[in-house]
Amino acid sequence: MNQDILDQLIGDPPRSTVDVGAIIARQRRRRRVATVAGAAGAVLAILAGVALAGGHPPSRTPAPLAASGTASAAPSASTGPAGFAVRTGTEAGRRQTLDDLRTALEQATRTYARGTAWIYMPDVPGEKRTPDGHPRMWTTTDPVSFEGRSGIASAGRKGGFYLSVRPTACVTGRSCSDVYSCDGTLTDCTATRTPAGLPVVRWMEKDPARGGKQYVFYIVQITLRGGANTLTLRAVNYFGGDASPVSAPTPVLTRTQLDAIAAAIADQISG
Amino acid sequence: MNRSEEDEFRAFVGVRMDRWRRAAYLLCHDWHTADDLVGVVVARLCRHWRRVSTADNPDAYAQRVLTTAWLDERRRPWRREHPAAELPDSGADQPDRAADRDRLIRLLAAVGPRQRAVVVLRFYFDRSVEETAELLGISTGTVKSQSARALEALRALAYTNGSQE
């Protein structure tokens, strides 16, 4: 028995009733259904008291996160000099950019989310297992974007974490990132700036999960110097690939921690 | 999903749509339900396209969604199969492809949903024992035994049906 025999036995299928365009439109509508609550003002007030920080001398040696310690340190309001550029022109440049991003991410997380640890997070079946201790990072095949994903654990909880640095200019066939704004379509959205003045948009998304639970996404996007790229971080409350069950009521990283980590990374990128 | 991602998504789905529909039909034996299952696959891919598109094996992901959507579908009370001691009388076979298809459907209907998923992944998607085990979240031993049992049942039924003609 093989595919050809089965195809012959099945014969000609009737016309498909799967409307891909309608499905895309439905997904788009879902994302746009936002409730920008009056809480935005309260969130702004909270944010005003929480400085998005940088000011950490970039370490050039990736180091694993501290395995123990207390929860988040309050971010300090200082700006550091831009430490590295996003370089996509050469393989060596891309590799260096990945190293720099990983270094900045691990440094910032160690500072603002003490007690957390990077752990291997499975995604799709058959993928190669990578060691704990560092987020997995790679460049897209375009190759114009930089991506990262990892499990993150703290105090017996675990969740997922995603990073991307993508161009803001969308060219057909290449990856890119929409530049988001708090235009009423994003939930709990706040627009602010890093201490270095870079535009920050942070919001959250919720989706229903099994058993009455909810998938929770904390998202922060910073437009990097020059406006050619964005840095986006996502903390999620599930662990693994799609359809993985909810692993905790909320992501391991708090929104404040995620904002601080994003700002610390962005302020080190020269553009 | 921006425009370039949407184009990429449409191309990915377009190339695979026929294969997914046929596989879904093998699982559920009903083109309407098959299209429902493929609709679930397309919606999940669309929702998580940014993650899926950067995954090492998006095809495996889609096949996993299809088979798990099918198995989930079977667990719903209004979809649950009602086992019977004897297969319903389906009339005499006609000597054409439609009769072959009917016989295939009857043969597949005679094995359980998970065995059917194993058969589709192993023999329609050409997945290895190990890949099938990963996709269904079961052990390789279970895949081997279920595919062997399914094939044995299919062969036995094929022989029985054939000898009745």
Side-chain angles (χ1 to χ4, degrees), chain A residues 39-51:
Chain A
V43 172
L44 270 174
I46 293 167
L47 270 188
V50 177

Side-chain angles (χ1 to χ4, degrees), chain A residues 98 102 105-106 118-124 127-139 146-151 161-163, chain B residues 51 54-57:
Chain A
L98 272 184
R102 182 187 291 110
L105 170 61
E106 294 186 354
W118 300 114
I119 55 174
Y120 166 74
M121 181 171 74
D123 188 11
V124 292
E127 78 170 20
K128 190 174 180 181
R129 193 190 196 289
T130 53
D132 291 341
H134 300 281
R136 181 183 170 216
M137 299 190 72
W138 67 94
T139 53
F146 301 86
E147 306 288 334
R149 68 185 299 277
S150 179
F161 175 90
Y162 298 86
L163 171 150
Chain B
R51 277 195 287 146
T54 56
D56 292 340
N57 195 341

